Amino acid sequence: NMIFMVVLKINLKKALYNILDFGFIILITTIINSLIINLSVGLMIGIRLIFVCNTTYIFSRNFTYMDLANVVEKIFVFMKLFNVEPKSIGLIVCIAVAFIPILKHELRGILDALKTKGYKIKITKLNVILQPFFTSILKKVDQIEEAMLAKGA
């Protein structure tokens, strides 16, 4: 990933801040997997999430959503054999990638609101963060669904 960042002239400082923005989610996911499965699996998942965040950042700085949709459509052209339209898969991937900054903004807003109220974040009280986070996400997904149905998609 570092080689791609240098070749594509990606700002390393901004890429690091991007990973730090997702640090809370990565940390919680790593801890939960470490407790449920074991430490090595939890750490491996954390490393993979960092890699995914970094790769997504690099990709988003160099390609548009339409470029992504076109690539996904070409990759999944074989799905026509199973009566699955590759354009649908491309749309799903584009929506998912476009949703990442929205998730980041929502989480940042919730954490800022809790910080303003003087709430100290504890792992045992994650429902205070996760409940409004998932409620907000589900509302946004519902809005996207309504918009797509209105357009006839």
Side-chain angles (χ1 to χ4, degrees):
N1 257 359
M2 293 300 288
I3 294 170
F4 285 123
M5 292 176 69
V6 171
V7 170
L8 296 171
K9 298 177 183 173
I10 302 289
N11 187 329
L12 297 176
K13 189 175 180 180
K14 287 183 180 179
L16 181 61
Y17 282 128
N18 181 63
I19 292 172
L20 291 176
D21 283 344
F22 287 102
F24 181 75
I25 294 172
I26 294 170
L27 181 65
I28 294 302
T29 305
T30 303
I31 290 170
I32 290 171
N33 281 290
S34 295
L35 294 174
I36 293 174
I37 303 171
N38 64 38
L39 182 63
S40 63
V41 171
L43 290 174
M44 210 47 185
I45 289 172
I47 291 168
R48 287 178 183 166
L49 286 173
I50 290 170
F51 180 76
V52 166
C53 286
N54 192 23
T55 303
T56 305
Y57 180 78
I58 292 169
F59 189 84
S60 69
R61 292 290 171 232
N62 291 290
F63 302 101
T64 66
Y65 292 128
M66 286 308 298
D67 293 336
L68 175 63
N70 291 334
V71 168
V72 170
E73 286 175 30
K74 288 177 184 174
I75 291 173
F76 287 100
V77 75
F78 72 93
M79 294 297 283
K80 286 184 178 182
L81 297 171
F82 304 105
N83 292 326
V84 176
E85 188 61 38
K87 285 189 176 197
S88 299
I89 297 172
L91 178 64
I92 292 168
V93 171
C94 283
I95 290 171
V97 171
F99 219 66
I100 292 172
I102 295 169
L103 296 175
K104 184 175 154 182
H105 178 73
E106 289 294 323
L107 184 62
R108 172 83 49 211
I110 292 167
L111 292 175
D112 288 346
L114 290 173
K115 195 182 286 184
T116 302
K117 293 178 181 180
Y119 186 82
K120 293 191 179 190
I121 299 167
K122 299 176 185 174
I123 293 177
T124 57
K125 302 280 186 171
L126 283 180
N127 64 330
V128 175
I129 297 168
L130 296 178
Q131 186 176 11
F133 183 67
F134 285 117
T135 302
S136 174
I137 289 170
L138 292 174
K139 285 180 182 176
K140 292 199 184 321
V141 168
D142 192 41
Q143 291 171 351
I144 290 172
E145 178 190 13
E146 289 174 2
M148 290 178 69
L149 287 174
K151 290 181 178 182

